[in-house]
Amino acid sequence: MPSMPAPADADERRGKPAVVVYPNGTLPPADMPMLEAARDGMTKIDEVIVPPRDARAFKAPKGHFFRIVSVEGAQVGDLNLWNVDDLSERFFSGKTRALHATHVGVGDRLWSTLPTLRPMATITHDTLGWYGWDADGAGVHDVIGTRCDPYTNRLLNGDDYHHCCHSNLTRALASARNISVREAEPHVHDVLNVFMCTGFSQDTHQYFMKASPVRPGDFIEFFSEIDLLGALSACPGGDCGATHSSDTSACYPLKVEVFRPDPASLKGWVSPAVNAYPRTHGLG
């Protein structure tokens, strides 16, 4: 398609200053010193192994910590979170991206969908925090990608693949809630791409992935702000350095660990209430 000729004031229009939509300091912050202190002396109470090209569900009660751990090789994971008592309250990757950034790290929070819009979890530790931004403009732990799914795979490749993260997460949720996959599928949502290294190309601004820097022993850790049901898929793309939605990549398991801190270390902490906006105002 031919491009439109630039108007005479094109440079003036392009030169308008950028304005951060949600500036730093406007969000209610997590009490990071308290959470850092609470990490000392934690007791592991549960552990779940997520097989390659598959997914598993787990529970992380409010006031607990959970970790996603690399155990054998470079592997990325797709994470979904729900309120354990209400699947309609789930992780809102788009709002998390708008409130924080395209890639999240320590101190950032995973926010829930409207109308609840509250922190579901806070990132408390990340052994890949050193990565920052590389020369390609890529970072780790993105909230810009969705999740590999069989529908897009069919659209682009013309074949059927049954171990996409969307499918894996659907089966894991169905198993955890003892419901059919048809009932579970509408609750599966856009993910936190754990350990995934991604960005936008500088010429065409397309979403790209590159080999994850994760190594065995690396982990990202979260504090559960509410009672959570989680599901994690060990992506069929492995480290996502070449492809996804296939059986050709080297894939490895991931581990989820759940920890209980000393309750005294959380003295004064209160699980966040649902958003205070009065829904009867302006919504009928």
Side-chain angles (χ1 to χ4, degrees), residues 91-221:
F91 171 51
F92 192 173
S93 69
K95 187 60 70 175
T96 299
R97 178 174 65 248
L99 290 172
H100 295 295
T102 57
H103 299 71
V104 291
V106 172
D108 292 334
R109 313 178 94 172
L110 308 187
W111 293 80
S112 69
T113 44
L114 307 180
T116 51
L117 191 62
R118 58 175 168 173
M120 303 182 81
T122 298
I123 301 174
T124 51
H125 198 78
D126 176 19
T127 64
L128 294 181
W130 56 267
Y131 192 88
W133 303 99
D134 64 26
D136 295 313
V140 293
H141 311 311
D142 85 68
V143 282
I144 45 178
T146 54
R147 61 214 179 264
C148 57
D149 70 87
Y151 308 102
T152 304
N153 182 74
R154 166 59 85 94
L155 177 69
L156 299 179
N157 300 322
D159 58 14
D160 295 333
Y161 185 71
H162 306 303
H163 298 285
C164 297
C165 288
H166 175 88
S167 307
N168 297 341
L169 292 168
T170 299
R171 289 189 291 264
L173 177 60
S175 178
R177 298 303 283 246
N178 195 28
I179 57 178
S180 70
V181 292
R182 187 176 294 274
E183 292 174 288
E185 187 176 24
H187 296 290
V188 172
H189 49 280
D190 286 351
V191 298
L192 169 60
N193 282 309
V194 177
F195 304 140
M196 195 168 180
C197 189
T198 59
F200 291 102
S201 61
Q202 297 176 13
D203 50 358
T204 61
H205 304 285
Q206 290 174 285
Y207 180 57
F208 71 80
M209 60 187 188
K210 58 192 295 185
S212 173
V214 69
R215 296 293 181 267
D218 280 324
F219 67 89
I220 185 171
E221 179 187 276

Side-chain angles (χ1 to χ4, degrees), residues 69-86:
V69 187
S70 170
V71 289
E72 289 185 16
Q75 175 67 44
V76 307
D78 286 42
L79 177 67
N80 267 188
L81 294 175
W82 300 267
N83 178 335
V84 74
D85 296 316
D86 180 6

Side-chain angles (χ1 to χ4, degrees), residues 247-280:
D247 289 324
T248 61
S249 299
C251 290
Y252 303 93
L254 292 169
K255 179 168 63 173
V256 179
E257 299 176 317
V258 181
F259 297 86
R260 181 179 60 238
D262 180 352
S265 67
L266 296 175
K267 184 178 179 180
W269 172 79
V270 178
S271 180
V274 299
N275 191 272
Y277 175 75
R279 296 177 64 188
T280 56

